[in-house]
Amino acid sequence: MFRFILFIICSFTYIPVYAITTANIKVSATIQKGCIFKESSVALDFGSYPTSSQEKNVTASILNDRNTWSLECTPDIPVSIVFGNGNNFDNTNQTRRLRNESGGFFIDYQIYSDINRSKVIGISSPSNTLFLKSNTSKNILDFGVYGLVDLSKGKPNKPSGKYLDEVLITVIW
């Protein structure tokens, strides 16, 4: 009888059994194509000249890099950079102008997309647009803006003071 009881006790011993199941969690992110345009306080500066200056080819330039606009884009996308006409645009003569800060006197200027100043950035589409494509080797787009002013035009003695304009740049991708 003793054996029988022992057998019964052993056969009812509880042994826990665990069920195991697994699942995967999908992890993803989407990076959208685009550009970031970080503006800084760099200007296209023609410099200082005496009021009687008759300089013909006064130049200025600015290049896109980390110290200027820093236009960075996702690699391999087409980018259009559209230049506005400036705040002092002359509708009659269709020219961009610098305006004397104390009023009414202007100096015409041109902006160009090349260092030789042979490719004018015009005042209407498509001549006012640079068409670029970003690449994988460099994330900052290569482009420059080059300016030219002819101080021999207009009054021989220009009013003194600072001459200013502001041109809006719009980046489209």
Side-chain angles (χ1 to χ4, degrees):
M1 181 122 165
F2 183 70
R3 277 186 170 187
F4 178 71
I5 293 175
L6 184 59
F7 177 73
I8 291 176
I9 291 174
C10 287
S11 66
F12 288 108
T13 303
Y14 176 72
I15 301 173
V17 176
Y18 298 102
I20 298 175
T21 186
T22 62
N24 291 322
I25 297 173
K26 295 187 186 231
V27 179
S28 66
T30 302
I31 304 296
Q32 296 181 352
K33 293 180 179 182
C35 297
I36 186 166
F37 193 53
K38 295 179 184 174
E39 184 181 358
S40 67
S41 60
V42 176
L44 191 62
D45 188 353
F46 291 103
S48 296
Y49 295 86
T51 187
S52 60
S53 178
Q54 294 295 300
E55 296 283 330
K56 280 188 109 16
N57 294 317
V58 178
T59 62
S61 62
I62 191 169
L63 301 174
N64 181 50
D65 64 26
R66 291 200 187 283
N67 297 316
T68 58
W69 301 303
S70 192
L71 176 57
E72 300 179 50
C73 296
T74 307
D76 203 33
I77 62 170
V79 177
S80 299
I81 303 170
V82 181
F83 291 82
N85 292 336
N87 293 339
N88 305 305
F89 185 72
D90 180 359
N91 285 314
T92 304
N93 296 314
Q94 298 290 293
T95 57
R96 290 183 178 96
R97 303 181 301 176
L98 299 167
R99 181 179 179 267
N100 185 297
E101 65 186 347
S102 60
F105 192 77
F106 299 91
I107 299 172
D108 294 349
Y109 72 96
Q110 289 272 16
I111 55 176
Y112 301 83
S113 62
D114 67 315
I115 197 165
N116 297 323
R117 291 168 182 81
S118 61
K119 298 175 186 169
V120 174
I121 296 175
I123 57 171
S124 60
S125 184
S127 69
N128 69 338
T129 305
L130 297 180
F131 299 99
L132 306 171
K133 188 169 185 176
S134 60
N135 61 55
T136 56
S137 64
K138 191 173 179 188
N139 62 343
I140 296 179
L141 288 180
D142 288 326
F143 75 95
V145 178
Y146 306 88
L148 180 69
V149 67
D150 182 354
L151 297 177
S152 69
K153 291 183 177 179
K155 283 180 147 183
N157 290 314
K158 293 153 193 60
S160 63
K162 194 165 203 130
Y163 288 76
L164 305 167
D165 195 18
E166 192 171 291
V167 175
L168 178 67
I169 298 173
T170 304
V171 180
I172 302 167
W173 63 89

